[in-house]
Amino acid sequence: MNIDELKQEEPNQIPQAPQKRSKTLTVLCILSFIGSGFSALGALIYALLFDKFLDFYSSNDSDLYRMMYDSLAILSPGYFLTELIFTIASLIGVIFMWKLRKIGFHTYTIANILILSLPLFFGVGGFNFASLIFITGPFIALYAFQLKSMQ
């Protein structure tokens, strides 16, 4: 008797129903798609038009424009390209979580911690604890509670 014949003799197993995404996970993913999508778009625009933004901010003498110029001048297009790469990784993580794959949680978490660490990597500031506490951290925690529904 070969393996195929043995498989046919096994009692019929009840097929498992496909896992269903919870409403909480659906809302979290949609919010992450929106937030990460806007972040990716912003990073792409700043990376491509970095010099034009510097010129624009330096052309006006108001305090607000001077402050914007000063905060942008310490960065580089490479900063925004790196942010874009990490944001795309974050989006990939969300797509995996949308498909109920646990690897998405890990990808999302690592990508977002790297995004918060960008100022450290580029020597222009410290770790963004405010964002970790009020935005990224709560999202990671809420996603962690949804891990049980992922494969």
Side-chain angles (χ1 to χ4, degrees), residues 55-122:
D55 292 343
F56 176 75
Y57 291 138
S58 67
S59 68
N60 193 315
D61 287 337
S62 76
D63 289 339
L64 177 62
Y65 281 85
R66 215 170 302 130
M67 186 175 66
M68 292 295 291
Y69 177 84
D70 291 343
S71 63
L72 188 61
I74 62 173
L75 301 175
S76 68
Y79 179 93
F80 294 104
L81 285 174
T82 305
E83 181 181 9
L84 176 62
I85 290 166
F86 292 156
T87 303
I88 290 169
S90 176
L91 278 168
I92 290 169
V94 174
I95 291 168
F96 276 122
M97 287 189 284
W98 181 265
K99 295 179 178 184
L100 300 174
R101 302 284 314 273
K102 283 183 183 179
I103 188 71
F105 171 76
H106 303 294
T107 304
Y108 175 86
T109 301
I110 292 167
N112 280 280
I113 290 172
L114 289 171
I115 290 168
L116 296 176
S117 302
L118 272 179
L120 285 173
F121 297 145
F122 281 83

